[in-house]
Amino acid sequence: MFRGAFAIWRRDMLVLRRSILSELVAVVAYPMTIYLAFGIGMKGYIGLVDGVPYSLFIAPGLITMTAVNAAYSESTWSLWFHRKVQFTIESYRVTPISVSEIVIAKIMSGFSHGLVKGLAVGLVIFAITPFRFSPLHLLAYLAFLIPGSALFSCAGVICGTVMDKPETIGKVEAVFIMPLIFMSGLFFPLSSYPANVIPWVRALPTTALFEGARQALVSGVFPVGSALQVAITAMLTFGAGVWIFRLKMSE
C-alpha cells in the first residue's frame, strides 16, 4: 500500500539532496544568530533561568524550532507548489498511486526535512558552544522532536491543501505558527506569564512540545503527560490532514 508513498517521498529526498548544502546554510544561520545574540551576548545580563545558564535554557528550543519550522514550511510550500504551479499532484493522480499515499508521502517529506535540519542545527550548536548533554537524554528528547515534527508537517499539509494564494500561507505562518512557537516559552520560562494566563498557555500542544523537549534534553526528565499531549495532537492532525486532502482531491 505504501509503495507509492515511498516513491514520492524518495523523489522529494532526491530534490533535497541536490540542494542540501545551500538549504542547511540558510537553515542554520537564523537559529545560530539568535543563539549568539541571546545565548552568548545576553547570558551575562540574564544569568540563570530555571536553575540553568540562559544559553543552555534556549538551546533545545532553537533546535526544536528549526525542526518544526522546516517540517511546516516544506509540507506547506511543497504541496502548494506541486498543486498550483507544477501540477505534480495531478501527474501523481494518473499513476496507480492513491490519494492517501500522496498525502502520506508529503507528510513524510516534511517530517524528514524537519528532522534533518533540526539535527544539523543541534550538531552546530554542540560543536561550537559548551552546550552538552547526556546521550541518554537524547532518546527522551527525540520522543518529543519526532512527533512534534510530524505534527507541524501535518499542519503544513492542511495549509498547503486548503490555501490557494501564497500570501495567505505567509499570513498564517506570521499570525499563528510563529506566535504559537514563541508563546511556548522558547526564550523565557512560563512562570513569567501572569498566573491566570499560564493554564491557557500550558494547554497548547506547542508548550508541551517545547517545555517537554527542554526538560528531556537538559535535565533528563521525561514528562509523560506532555509527551502524550504532543503525540495525540500529532495523530489527530494526521487524520485531519489526510481527510482534508482527500476531500480536496475529490472536488
Side-chain angles (χ1 to χ4, degrees), residues 182-200:
F182 282 88
M183 286 170 57
S184 302
L186 172 60
F187 293 113
F188 53 85
L190 296 181
S191 56
S192 301
Y193 282 111
N196 58 340
V197 174
I198 291 177
W200 296 99

Side-chain angles (χ1 to χ4, degrees), residues 83-179:
R83 191 167 61 85
K84 303 295 291 185
V85 180
Q86 290 186 329
F87 301 105
T88 313
I89 300 298
E90 296 302 320
S91 302
Y92 292 150
R93 296 188 67 191
V94 298
T95 66
I97 298 177
S98 68
V99 171
S100 296
E101 286 180 302
I102 295 172
V103 66
I104 290 171
K106 287 301 177 186
I107 290 171
M108 289 168 52
S109 296
F111 169 75
S112 302
H113 274 251
L115 281 189
V116 168
K117 294 172 182 178
L119 291 175
V121 169
L123 288 173
V124 173
I125 288 178
F126 187 82
I128 69 173
T129 72
F131 177 59
R132 295 293 181 269
F133 53 85
S134 166
L136 292 177
H137 296 181
L138 183 60
L139 294 177
Y141 174 69
L142 290 176
F144 286 93
L145 184 66
I146 291 173
S149 297
L151 166 62
F152 275 76
S153 181
C154 294
V157 162
I158 293 173
C159 290
T161 300
V162 300
M163 295 175 188
D164 291 332
K165 296 180 179 179
E167 57 266 31
T168 307
I169 295 175
K171 289 175 182 174
V172 168
E173 188 168 3
V175 174
F176 292 104
I177 301 299
M178 294 310 295

